[in-house]
Amino acid sequence: MGYFADYADQIDFQQFGSEGIKGVRSCQAGGFWGVKSHFTAYEDEPALVSMPTGSGKTALMMLLAFGLSEKQVLIVTASDVLRTQTAAKFERLDGLRQAGVVDDKLETPSVATVTSRVTDEEMWDELDEDVVVTLPHNISKVYDSDQYPNSIVSPPEEKFDLVFFDEAHHIRAPSWMELLEAVDNAKRVLLTATPFRRDRQTLPGRMVYHYPLSNAMEERLYQPLSLTEVSTYRADDPDRKLAAMAATKLADIRTDYSSAKLLIRCDHIDTARDLETIYSDQDLEVEAIHSDRTSKQNAETISALREGDIDGVVAVGMLGEGVDIADLKVAVLHQPPKSFAFTLQLIGRVTRPAENSDVAATVIADPDKLREAGVDDVVKRLYHEDAGWRQLVPELVDKYIETNVAATTAGQDALRGVNEQDLQPYRSTRLYESTESDVDLISDISLDDDTIVYKLPRSDEVFLGLITEQIDKPTWGTRTPLEYREYDLHLYYYHDGTETLFEASSSDELSNRIRSQIVSDEIELYGGESLVRMLQAEVDIEYQVAGLANALGPSGSLPSYKMYLGDRVEGAVRQTDAQAFAQGHAVAEVDEEIIGISNDQGRVWSTGREGIDDFISWCQELAGKLERYEFESAAPKLGLGEISRIDEFPAEPVYGTHNPALQQLNIEIDTSEVYEEGGWQPMKESALRDINYQADEPAAVEFSYTPEETAQSLSGTYNIADNKLTGQLANCQFRIDSGDKISKLTGEVFFNRYPLYFCTGDGTLVYNGRGHKVKQELSKVPSSCFVDESKIDWSGCATWGEYSIDDDDTDGDGLIHVHAWVEDFIEGNGESEQVLFRDHSSGEIADYVQFEPSEKRISLYHCKACKKGNKSGARLEDVRDVVDQVFRSIAWIRNSRLPKRIRYRQENTGVEGFKLNEEAFDEIETKFQPNEWNFRVYIVQPGLDHDKARSSDNTNTLLLTCKEWLEAVDTELYIIGDPNDQVVEVS
């Protein structure tokens, strides 16, 4: 049994914490029981104790030695001064005797101080004292090198059963970590004034006790500390100026407290020697402690300071750690410490109250050097962790923390240590259209019990700044107890002149909830037609990114989105892009600033971060562009045409369809809210029919929609001014099977996500309340698109029968239907090895899909019959359905899944399937590379007069639009109609 086990019964541990034990501090009792309880459950894990500097950590180590050790105790500390000081205190049981914990007559422990490298087992055997105090470089193998003949030997596994690491903020250093692991058989206790480092690395071990500074202030372990700023800017000798102020302050303090002394800090030994002379010239005797002096010399200096033989010490670097003298009242920072932990040590040294004295201490420093050393960040961090720092260093806190961020959540404190002047949000904001009456930025925001909301002091009628605090779990550990504290910043600025609300938030989820409380009605994001004003400039602009959003729906060669990246990418945008793409997002250099816009998010951004006032100024600049370029609605130099929010249709809608994004999804519609006998049924059709537009009501268009051939028709009215769909169709429910999941949506949500598309007579594509007009004049459909009349003979065809002829239709005797006529046409004009697949059914790719392997050509045929009794002409009703089929088939053009889709259709849908050469399809399917094939699309409509189709404005516009869609996917359009009045009236 060792010394501490032998005499443990001399201490009544149960009394710790009671008021009857004079001199025992509550933090010492708390730390003792925290460590004791820890080792009952986690014997193999280090215990971490955080107590303010000067609160009695050495005495706590003594108490724990009596309470835990049965062998020898090892103490690892950070400096020569601390090693000497700790050994001396253990030799006398200083702190425990004064507290009355042990009797004055109790035998004291034997203590050894290790001052050289321990390089063999015998040296460890010779260290048989009760307590061994050392530095890491004496016993850590990390300090082995070629300059030493012998390697360091780690402490024997069974020699020490209790190891203390004092000033344990050093523990992440390799030498300390090596020791921590080398003594893992012993109980390990880490003691520090701060449980984290300046580099934000946490310390190993389990935090078992933390004593807040505010408690230490209440217990009068500290006294307030003042700051004396001395600007040395342009001073002939900055050190002498600081020394002169130190002499003045020390003289003032000594009028009330004659024993007051100086603690002077610098970074270099040469500077320390110069400072000895400089302070001597102020009639002050100071001596330096540094690594060039021996342990004995440093100890003698500390002793002389304690006895009052000198006026102060000059500490170089970290050697000021552990200087335990209550009379230190003036700290002079010739070079402020950059180490967070050392800052705590230094403050602790000069704020400890002297016996029977209330004399306040002071720190003397150059304010510019404090900032350079990051002391402002240290003070903010200290104050954020513990409100007691305002009591301890009120001038420092007030200097660097001008205002607190107050909580709007009931029962919560301010967000201490956070100065809104230090916040630097990204230059990124969403823009909303809103009237002043809709916006309230004054009322307090309250979210939920798990979210604390803090309001920035800068907030007023036009600006609201919030910080939210939540406890969250990592996405990969939602079922674990792991949690972290997450802060988000939310900024709102309202510009009255443009009626715009600017929103910047680091959390979309929280910003949606906040926005719902500050606006009284639904507000709409700015669209691309407004955001493009941010790209306007009086000088030339250069694009780095041009994003293009698909307006027609995805296909093999028409992605849903594509980007051009690089310098001056405006030159890379093709003319055909304008036919199928609308502007997405863009990044350009505008007026020497990088500006980005995102249409679908209503967002504008720029590079860098800036303060709150600068952010507001930036928003004001953006508002200025909204006003200055009010009539611009197209991104300059991209040639993508104009996208503009419109209140009425620019011309009569000639075609309407469901959103092309739905083409490759399985959609069902529930009509039970509309029809009593209704229910869920598939949406097999896309086209909108019976389109009714009145020129005197240009904002609205009425239509009907039939989900499948046998279904009941649904009415709908789309008002573009409100961007809203009403009627039976809007009252239905929708179910989407995307393959990964099934989603059920209301009509309102469905059509907000998948807006309807309309094509108007002037070539404008209208969707989601906006018009996309390509910047090119409409022309005639080229005559080359019409199949030569020499190949067309309708004389043997019942042109009114699409795929069958009724038995009682005597007019059709001896005639074939349109589909049969098309098959003959394909076989007669295609290559001999062609493959032909008939896919006429719901969800078809096309009525016929033709492969010509030698020519590497794929043709899609879309067929419709004309109305019996009508002569061929240019009727829209004859064209709309077939154009809708073309529109839907774009998804399969240059699509690598086309052969697999054909095979699926053959095996699962009951279609007629292969009409020619099925055997050759196997090889096509195996080797299919879509980019190796050319594509054509044929429209077959015998009731379409070739010449009249080109002269009829609406029909020509619809066909020309169809041609442009196909050109965007590098596909040719061919039309088989009536070239020479073959289709005549049939009674």
Side-chain angles (χ1 to χ4, degrees):
M1 301 289 282
Y3 166 83
F4 293 104
D6 289 341
Y7 291 104
D9 60 357
Q10 299 296 308
I11 300 176
D12 182 5
F13 295 108
Q14 299 304 319
Q15 296 184 54
F16 288 172
S18 71
E19 297 179 1
I21 303 181
K22 180 181 179 182
V24 172
R25 295 168 180 162
S26 59
C27 57
Q28 293 168 328
F32 175 82
W33 290 117
V35 173
K36 283 278 286 184
S37 61
H38 166 79
F39 285 123
T40 65
Y42 307 101
E43 189 171 11
D44 296 332
E45 190 173 352
L48 178 58
V49 176
S50 172
M51 292 167 53
T53 299
S55 59
K57 291 195 295 292
T58 307
L60 174 59
M61 284 191 278
M62 296 177 197
L63 288 174
L64 289 170
F66 279 110
L68 295 172
S69 177
E70 295 183 355
K71 298 179 181 178
Q72 291 175 268
V73 174
L74 176 66
I75 302 174
V76 181
T77 192
S79 69
D80 176 49
V81 172
L82 267 178
R83 176 175 57 187
T84 303
Q85 185 173 277
T86 302
K89 287 187 175 183
F90 263 87
E91 285 174 343
R92 300 188 297 268
L93 293 179
D94 275 357
L96 295 192
R97 290 192 187 278
Q98 290 85 336
V101 174
V102 297
D103 190 271
D104 290 343
K105 297 178 181 180
L106 180 68
E107 179 183 342
T108 58
S110 57
V111 180
T113 302
V114 179
T115 58
S116 60
R117 292 162 52 86
V118 179
T119 56
D120 57 50
E121 296 284 352
E122 290 183 4
M123 294 179 68
W124 280 114
D125 291 341
E126 292 171 2
L127 290 169
D128 59 357
E129 285 81 1
D130 304 310
V131 180
V132 177
V133 188
T134 184
L135 304 180
H137 68 254
N138 298 131
I139 63 171
S140 173
K141 297 178 72 63
V142 170
Y143 286 98
D144 281 339
S145 68
D146 294 339
Q147 73 180 90
Y148 298 110
N150 299 314
S151 298
I152 286 177
V153 175
S154 298
E157 287 188 2
E158 304 300 327
K159 185 174 183 63
F160 302 101
D161 64 345
L162 180 61
V163 180
F164 293 106
F165 291 85
D166 195 13
E167 309 301 344
H169 47 271
H170 296 288
I171 199 71
R172 284 292 179 187
S175 57
W176 288 67
M177 285 300 294
E178 191 274 332
L179 278 178
L180 184 68
E181 295 168 2
V183 296
D184 58 358
N185 281 345
K187 295 181 178 68
R188 295 164 292 171
V189 181
L190 283 58
L191 300 107
T192 181
T194 171
F196 50 85
R197 295 155 51 95
R198 186 171 182 262
D199 58 13
R200 301 306 293 168
Q201 283 189 293
T202 57
L203 303 187
R206 186 182 295 266
M207 175 70 76
V208 300
Y209 185 72
H210 172 70
Y211 191 66
L213 180 70
S214 53
N215 290 22
M217 292 294 295
E218 292 176 7
E219 204 171 336
R220 291 186 53 80
L221 299 182
Y222 291 95
Q223 288 180 312
L225 172 69
S226 65
L227 171 66
T228 301
E229 294 185 336
V230 178
S231 175
T232 61
Y233 178 63
R234 293 184 177 178
D236 293 335
D237 190 333
D239 289 330
R240 288 189 179 277
K241 189 171 184 180
L242 290 169
M245 178 57 73
T248 301
K249 284 291 183 182
L250 185 63
D252 290 344
I253 292 174
R254 282 180 169 175
T255 59
D256 296 319
Y257 185 66
S258 60
S259 300
K261 299 177 180 67
L262 290 165
L263 174 60
I264 304 158
R265 189 200 176 275
C266 64
D267 281 337
H268 305 290
I269 294 173
D270 289 343
T271 304
R273 291 169 179 153
D274 293 339
L275 290 175
E276 288 178 332
T277 302
I278 290 172
Y279 278 87
S280 177
D281 292 343
Q282 296 290 333
D283 294 327
L284 295 171
E285 185 178 354
V286 298
E287 291 183 8
I289 53 175
H290 51 72
S291 58
D292 275 5
R293 305 185 72 197
T294 66
S295 298
K296 182 179 180 182
Q297 288 172 322
N298 283 333
E300 289 174 348
T301 296
I302 297 298
S303 178
L305 180 66
R306 186 175 285 110
E307 297 299 326
D309 297 334
I310 59 176
D311 296 300
V313 292
V314 183
V316 178
M318 305 300 289
L319 282 180
E321 256 183 329
V323 178
D324 190 10
I325 300 170
D327 292 338
L328 293 172
K329 289 298 173 186
V330 178
V332 191
L333 306 183
H334 287 265
Q335 280 103 33
K338 294 183 179 180
S339 164
F340 176 71
F342 187 78
T343 300
L344 286 178
Q345 293 289 333
L346 186 133
I347 291 175
R349 295 279 76 81
V350 296
T351 54
R352 293 177 62 185
E355 190 174 352
N356 300 321
S357 173
D358 290 328
V359 174
T362 189
V363 172
I364 299 172
D366 184 325
D368 293 331
K369 288 186 177 180
L370 288 176
R371 289 190 182 88
E372 290 172 7
V375 171
D376 55 342
D377 291 333
V378 171
V379 171
K380 292 167 189 173
R381 198 147 128 221
L382 291 171
Y383 182 50
H384 180 70
E385 295 295 328
D386 192 326
W389 285 95
R390 181 177 285 279
Q391 298 172 264
L392 179 63
V393 283
E395 293 176 18
L396 275 172
V397 171
D398 291 342
K399 178 177 179 60
Y400 295 119
I401 305 168
E402 297 175 5
T403 53
N404 284 321
V405 178
T408 66
T409 306
Q412 297 295 334
D413 294 329
L415 194 59
R416 296 188 310 270
V418 178
N419 186 345
E420 70 174 30
Q421 301 302 317
D422 295 328
L423 303 179
Q424 292 189 307
Y426 284 109
R427 279 188 166 197
S428 177
T429 180
R430 284 193 176 101
L431 283 69
Y432 294 88
E433 297 180 18
S434 54
T435 62
E436 185 176 6
S437 60
D438 288 336
V439 179
D440 176 13
L441 300 181
I442 299 176
S443 300
D444 284 343
I445 304 297
S446 180
L447 298 179
D448 54 57
D449 292 341
D450 297 324
T451 305
I452 304 174
V453 181
Y454 304 94
K455 181 182 287 189
L456 303 186
R458 170 72 170 76
S459 300
D460 54 26
E461 291 83 356
V462 297
F463 173 76
L464 174 64
L466 304 172
I467 294 175
T468 53
E469 176 185 343
Q470 292 180 307
I471 302 298
D472 207 349
K473 290 179 177 290
T475 55
W476 44 263
T478 55
R479 296 185 178 182
T480 73
L482 300 176
E483 293 181 333
Y484 63 93
R485 195 178 304 274
E486 183 170 36
Y487 294 94
D488 286 293
L489 178 64
H490 317 272
L491 306 177
Y492 295 86
Y493 170 70
Y494 183 73
H495 186 264
D496 181 54
T498 58
E499 295 189 325
T500 303
L501 179 66
F502 294 84
E503 175 190 72
S505 174
S506 57
S507 169
D508 288 343
E509 186 270 330
L510 288 174
S511 67
N512 290 336
R513 294 163 60 190
I514 293 170
R515 192 170 59 254
S516 69
Q517 295 191 35
I518 65 176
V519 295
S520 57
D521 201 356
E522 287 291 327
I523 56 177
E524 190 170 353
L525 276 168
Y526 270 75
E529 75 283 352
S530 298
L531 298 183
V532 293
R533 300 182 214 172
M534 307 306 170
L535 302 178
Q536 311 295 331
E538 302 302 325
V539 297
D540 196 23
I541 74 168
E542 298 181 13
Y543 286 90
Q544 282 82 50
V545 178
L548 309 183
N550 188 335
L552 303 181
S555 75
S557 63
L558 199 63
S560 59
Y561 202 87
K562 69 177 179 178
M563 287 192 298
Y564 292 105
L565 305 175
D567 292 334
R568 290 188 172 275
V569 297
E570 59 269 20
V573 179
R574 300 177 302 169
Q575 183 177 355
T576 54
D577 286 334
Q579 297 161 358
F581 289 92
Q583 179 201 318
H585 77 285
V587 179
E589 184 175 347
V590 185
D591 295 329
E592 299 184 347
E593 179 185 10
I594 299 298
I595 290 287
I597 64 171
S598 178
N599 287 4
D600 59 342
Q601 296 184 30
R603 184 183 296 279
V604 180
W605 72 91
S606 184
T607 54
R609 299 171 180 262
E610 57 190 356
I612 299 296
D613 289 339
D614 291 330
F615 174 79
I616 294 174
S617 297
W618 181 63
C619 292
Q620 292 169 341
E621 292 173 11
L622 298 182
K625 281 200 164 189
L626 289 175
E627 293 177 313
R628 190 159 62 253
Y629 299 106
E630 180 181 1
F631 300 106
E632 299 291 343
S633 57
K637 299 176 64 176
L638 290 182
L640 291 177
E642 296 183 357
I643 307 172
S644 57
R645 183 167 296 166
I646 52 180
D647 295 329
E648 57 186 49
F649 285 90
E652 180 181 357
V654 297
Y655 170 70
T657 183
H658 279 279
N659 195 292
L662 301 174
Q663 297 301 329
Q664 298 188 44
L665 299 174
N666 293 318
I667 313 292
E668 292 182 314
I669 182 172
D670 180 11
T671 60
S672 58
E673 291 293 324
V674 179
Y675 296 113
E676 184 176 347
E677 65 276 19
W680 287 105
Q681 55 191 293
M683 286 180 62
K684 296 182 178 180
E685 300 295 330
S686 297
L688 309 179
R689 303 179 185 277
D690 305 322
I691 293 177
N692 181 22
Y693 169 81
Q694 303 295 328
D696 56 349
E697 295 182 12
V701 60
E702 297 176 347
F703 58 87
S704 66
Y705 169 69
T706 306
E708 57 180 336
E709 190 172 349
T710 59
Q712 291 178 290
S713 177
L714 300 164
S715 65
T717 301
Y718 175 65
N719 188 300
I720 197 167
D722 300 331
N723 189 26
K724 190 172 182 179
L725 177 69
T726 57
Q728 292 176 323
L729 183 59
N731 292 329
C732 294
Q733 300 278 324
F734 295 84
R735 191 159 55 199
I736 303 174
D737 184 354
S738 61
D740 297 329
K741 64 177 181 178
I742 297 177
S743 304
K744 186 176 179 181
L745 306 176
T746 64
E748 181 180 6
V749 174
F750 180 82
F751 288 106
N752 282 338
R753 186 176 299 179
Y754 303 105
L756 299 173
Y757 275 51
F758 295 91
C759 180
T760 63
D762 66 345
T764 300
L765 187 63
V766 176
Y767 56 95
N768 200 30
R770 292 172 171 82
H772 175 211
K773 185 172 179 59
V774 178
K775 279 190 172 180
Q776 62 184 57
E777 295 297 325
L778 287 175
S779 58
K780 300 295 184 183
V781 177
S783 58
S784 59
C785 289
F786 293 89
V787 174
D788 188 83
E789 65 178 284
S790 63
K791 297 182 179 182
I792 302 174
D793 181 3
W794 292 109
S795 59
C797 178
T799 56
W800 60 89
E802 182 178 340
Y803 49 85
S804 64
I805 302 174
D806 293 339
D807 293 337
D808 58 356
D809 187 353
T810 58
D811 293 327
D813 290 345
L815 302 179
I816 62 175
H817 51 71
V818 172
H819 277 214
W821 185 94
V822 171
E823 287 182 24
D824 290 343
F825 175 88
I826 294 172
E827 187 172 2
N829 291 278
E831 65 178 55
S832 59
E833 300 300 319
Q834 66 180 308
V835 176
L836 183 62
F837 183 81
R838 186 170 188 245
D839 191 30
H840 177 70
S841 179
S842 175
E844 66 192 33
I845 301 168
D847 288 313
Y848 291 91
V849 183
Q850 176 193 30
F851 293 84
E852 296 177 274
S854 298
E855 297 291 334
K856 284 290 184 181
R857 184 167 58 226
I858 298 173
S859 300
L860 307 180
Y861 288 79
H862 298 283
C863 314
K864 286 294 177 183
C866 63
K867 189 173 182 180
K868 186 177 181 180
N870 286 346
K871 184 179 180 180
S872 61
R875 292 175 291 274
L876 271 176
E877 62 187 78
D878 288 336
V879 179
R880 280 176 177 153
D881 286 346
V882 72
V883 168
D884 181 66
Q885 290 181 346
V886 172
F887 190 69
R888 286 187 289 161
S889 70
I890 287 176
W892 296 107
I893 293 175
R894 305 193 187 283
N895 190 320
S896 61
R897 295 185 294 124
L898 176 61
K900 286 184 171 55
R901 182 65 177 177
I902 288 175
R903 190 68 75 184
Y904 173 86
R905 297 280 299 169
Q906 180 192 30
E907 296 174 354
N908 295 278
T909 62
V911 298
E912 186 173 355
F914 289 98
K915 304 288 289 185
L916 294 173
N917 206 6
E918 180 178 357
E919 300 79 15
F921 183 74
D922 293 336
E923 184 176 357
I924 292 174
E925 182 179 15
T926 302
K927 298 181 178 180
F928 187 70
Q929 295 289 335
N931 58 343
E932 296 177 352
W933 295 74
N934 297 312
F935 281 75
R936 290 179 174 181
V937 169
Y938 284 81
I939 289 177
V940 180
Q941 171 51 273
L944 182 65
D945 184 289
H946 286 192
D947 292 331
K948 291 178 180 178
R950 300 181 71 229
S951 60
S952 170
D953 288 342
N954 285 345
T955 301
N956 178 75
T957 296
L958 188 54
L959 291 173
L960 189 62
T961 301
C962 183
K963 175 180 179 294
E964 291 173 345
W965 291 342
L966 292 171
E967 284 180 347
V969 291
D970 199 19
T971 297
E972 298 174 302
L973 172 67
Y974 290 93
I975 302 169
I976 300 176
D978 182 6
N980 46 17
D981 293 329
Q982 297 180 30
V983 178
V984 297
E985 294 183 14
V986 178
S987 60

